[in-house]
Amino acid sequence: MKAIRNIIDNIKPQFEKGGKYEKYLPLFESFETFLYVLSNTTKRGVHIRDNNDLKRTMIIVVYALIPSLLFGAYNVGYQHNLALGIQDATLLSTFWYGFIRILPLILVSYGVGLGLEFVFVVKKGHEIHEGFLVSGMLIPLIVPIDIPIWMVAVATLFAVLFAKEAFGGTGMNVFNVALVTRAFLFFAYPSYMSGDSIWIRGLHKGAALPDGFSGATVLSQAASGNTNFVDGVGNPISVADMFFGFM
């Protein structure tokens, strides 16, 4: 890490006042503070003197979202196998199937959102707003797995512009960026955001659900007084299946 610090210190004068790339100083500082905490400290006032700045706080939230992302990747593969009757898939193959389908959504979400943030960094002359580090992870978690990635790109662009930057950036926006992304998709492309096939990979593109998937839901079974819950083909459903989202 010391070598990286030396490289940054050597090229930093080119981005400071009077340097060749002075205009891009905010962009440079955004990358620098992503790797290292700020060198300046609070001298007076009642502020907490800590190196855990907003960027580090947001990274902690991203870490907290990783378990949900990993389980979501596994569940994408699990629901796909369940719908198509694939019974010999291993845990690893199931997870990998879901992960490689979620990965493009993550890349597009961060690519479009942070790319737009970088534009505003240079235009406004301030460091990048850290809030999208979280929003960029939330967006892939709340959109259907089969949604075209170009729709995610358009919705993310709209949300960052009109739900965040229009209000002044992180801390000033009155709407959640990820939820605005989902709302935009719901109203602009409703057929990709509703129905019984959007949450299972491949079904929205023409594959059909097996007949066994039709049947009473767990709630309707409970309403009729039945406590031995079963799925559409008669397989028992445990409390753990319902708690962890396997049905």
Side-chain angles (χ1 to χ4, degrees), residues 60-119:
I60 292 174
V61 181
V62 172
Y63 291 158
L65 288 171
I66 289 178
S68 296
L69 182 71
L70 295 178
F71 177 78
Y74 172 79
N75 205 28
V76 166
Y78 178 83
Q79 298 298 336
H80 171 81
N81 295 340
L82 187 65
L84 300 184
I86 301 174
Q87 300 180 351
D88 57 349
T90 64
L91 186 148
L92 182 60
S93 65
T94 300
F95 168 80
W96 184 248
Y97 177 91
F99 180 75
I100 61 177
R101 269 74 186 178
I102 289 178
L103 185 59
L105 298 177
I106 299 173
L107 295 178
V108 169
S109 173
Y110 273 118
V112 173
L114 290 179
L116 189 59
E117 293 269 11
F118 289 149
V119 172

Side-chain angles (χ1 to χ4, degrees), residues 11-23 25:
I11 64 176
K12 189 172 184 177
Q14 300 183 46
F15 292 89
E16 294 177 330
K17 189 173 182 179
K20 183 178 180 181
Y21 305 109
E22 176 184 350
K23 179 180 178 181
L25 176 62

